[in-house]
Amino acid sequence: MDVKQLKALVTVAEVGSVTRAAELLHLVQPAVTRQIRTLEEELGVPLFQRTRQGMRPTEAGEIMVDRARRALNELERARAEVQPRPGEVTGIVTLGLLESTSDLLAEPLVSALGEAHPGVELRLMTGYSGHLQQWLDDGDLDLSLLYNLDSTPSLNARPLVRERLWAVAPPAARLRADHPVAFAEMAAHPLVMPASGHALRALIDAAATRSGIAMDVRVQTNSMRVQKRLVLAGHGWTVLPGLGIADDIAHGTLSAAPLSEPDVWRSIVLATPRYGRVPPAVEVVAHELVRRIDAAVPRGRWPSAQPYTTDEPDTIPLPPRGLL
């Protein structure tokens, strides 16, 4: 198999049509059909189901598309790295951002890289910590922000920030940033919570268990946006990191206050693969990302966040080898 065949495979899978794939690849349709058929003959399995709705990958096709996409991405990255201008860092970097951090970090990071390192192509992926960690383990991300993660056999984790979780309620509740809310008071209301299995939900459940407090969970969702909309509509209170509701508080669309008795904190870490070469482009993205975070915390743009220090009781060990 060759690169042209892999490009044809991935493009057909993405658009679901040989005709459309041929247009995107600037080929004639028979050429794309021939490349797919040649791959199928080499592998000895069908890669697509030909249906009235279009071309759908078979189970074997899904596996090949996933691997082919990664191979093409690596070739693209290698080409960018070996053909730089003198003194310029170039390359493609795929960064994972927690959904709650994207509004604060994405635009300043893109602007900083565009000015200082225009040869770096940044690809941003947002999601929940569990999803981002899986993508990092699978090789789909070069580095990612995660939370409450120790270094693992496959990943290094550098602690960056500790941030407090907040009780979030409709504006009529008149919660205030300078007046913490007891966990028991929050739990006395109907609750809209992250779905079970979500890392944030695990933090909340652990605090409730330690305190012997029962929670009245009425709705579960895997979307922070949906959590906030349901709270605004009067379906209950919720718990979110302060950064995730900073704009809502500023605009008065929600009211919120830090949780207390007990306080509940999450630790934001920068996670990177433990093994393999770290390209210069990944190094500069990591450096700029940490600079953006270091600048945001002391300026109060990250509510109730603290720089991570090694004297905290739940300190995550620094990785033996890191980017910075």
Side-chain angles (χ1 to χ4, degrees):
M1 62 185 71
D2 59 30
V3 172
K4 292 181 180 179
Q5 292 170 337
L6 297 182
K7 286 184 177 179
L9 172 70
V10 171
T11 306
V12 171
E14 289 177 346
V15 301
S17 164
V18 171
T19 301
R20 178 60 178 149
E23 294 174 357
L24 294 173
L25 294 168
H26 305 290
L27 298 171
V28 295
Q29 182 175 335
V32 177
T33 300
R34 183 168 58 254
Q35 288 169 342
I36 299 298
R37 185 178 296 118
T38 300
L39 269 177
E40 291 179 324
E41 290 173 354
E42 178 180 343
L43 296 168
V45 293
L47 298 176
F48 289 95
Q49 295 175 340
R50 289 130 176 108
T51 70
R52 292 182 179 180
Q53 289 73 37
M55 301 281 281
R56 295 183 177 178
T58 61
E59 184 176 350
E62 292 281 4
I63 295 172
M64 281 301 300
V65 168
D66 180 58
R67 301 297 183 182
R69 184 180 288 115
R70 294 183 189 181
L72 293 171
N73 285 340
E74 285 300 312
L75 288 172
E76 189 177 356
R77 290 178 54 167
R79 184 179 293 110
E81 287 180 35
V82 301
Q83 296 178 324
R85 297 175 184 175
E88 182 180 13
V89 176
T90 64
I92 299 166
V93 180
T94 306
L95 166 67
L97 292 178
L98 296 161
E99 184 183 9
S100 58
T101 68
S102 58
D103 286 347
L104 176 69
L105 298 175
E107 192 282 325
L109 178 62
V110 170
S111 295
L113 288 170
E115 182 177 344
H117 303 285
V120 174
E121 179 183 331
L122 183 63
R123 299 178 179 178
L124 292 174
M125 304 284 286
T126 62
Y128 291 113
S129 187
H131 295 153
L132 294 172
Q133 184 177 349
Q134 184 62 56
W135 297 340
L136 195 58
D137 281 330
D138 290 344
D140 295 324
L141 297 176
D142 297 301
L143 68 167
S144 183
L145 292 182
L146 304 173
Y147 63 84
N148 285 52
L149 177 75
D150 293 315
S151 293
T152 71
S154 61
L155 299 176
N156 283 323
R158 172 184 171 170
L160 300 176
V161 173
R162 296 175 73 243
E163 73 169 320
R164 200 168 175 180
L165 299 189
W166 291 45
V168 183
R174 299 188 178 185
L175 301 185
R176 292 170 27 192
D178 60 350
H179 188 74
V181 169
F183 196 102
E185 180 182 346
M186 177 276 298
H189 294 268
L191 296 175
V192 178
M193 281 290 168
S196 296
H198 187 293
L200 191 64
R201 177 65 182 277
L203 276 176
I204 300 165
D205 286 348
T209 300
R210 289 195 306 269
S211 305
I213 297 172
M215 297 188 297
D216 180 15
V217 178
R218 300 289 181 87
V219 184
Q220 300 185 49
T221 175
N222 64 351
S223 167
M224 184 175 69
R225 184 178 66 85
V226 172
Q227 276 179 263
K228 293 193 287 187
R229 288 181 66 88
L230 291 175
V231 170
L232 182 59
H235 293 284
W237 289 23
T238 193
V239 177
L240 287 169
L243 184 58
I245 39 91
D247 286 344
D248 302 278
I249 296 172
H251 291 95
T253 54
L254 293 170
S255 66
L259 277 174
S260 64
E261 302 175 37
D263 300 355
V264 186
W265 296 79
R266 72 172 182 173
S267 304
I268 307 294
V269 306
L270 177 60
T272 58
R274 184 178 291 274
Y275 303 107
R277 172 178 168 272
V278 179
V282 175
E283 292 272 5
V284 300
V285 170
H287 179 72
E288 290 295 341
L289 177 63
V290 173
R291 284 187 61 192
R292 302 279 76 75
I293 293 173
D294 287 347
V297 172
R299 293 177 184 173
R301 299 180 61 201
W302 195 318
S304 68
Q306 301 174 358
Y308 214 99
T309 58
T310 55
D311 59 352
E312 298 292 349
D314 56 343
T315 295
I316 300 173
L318 288 170
R321 178 180 71 83
L323 287 173
L324 301 170

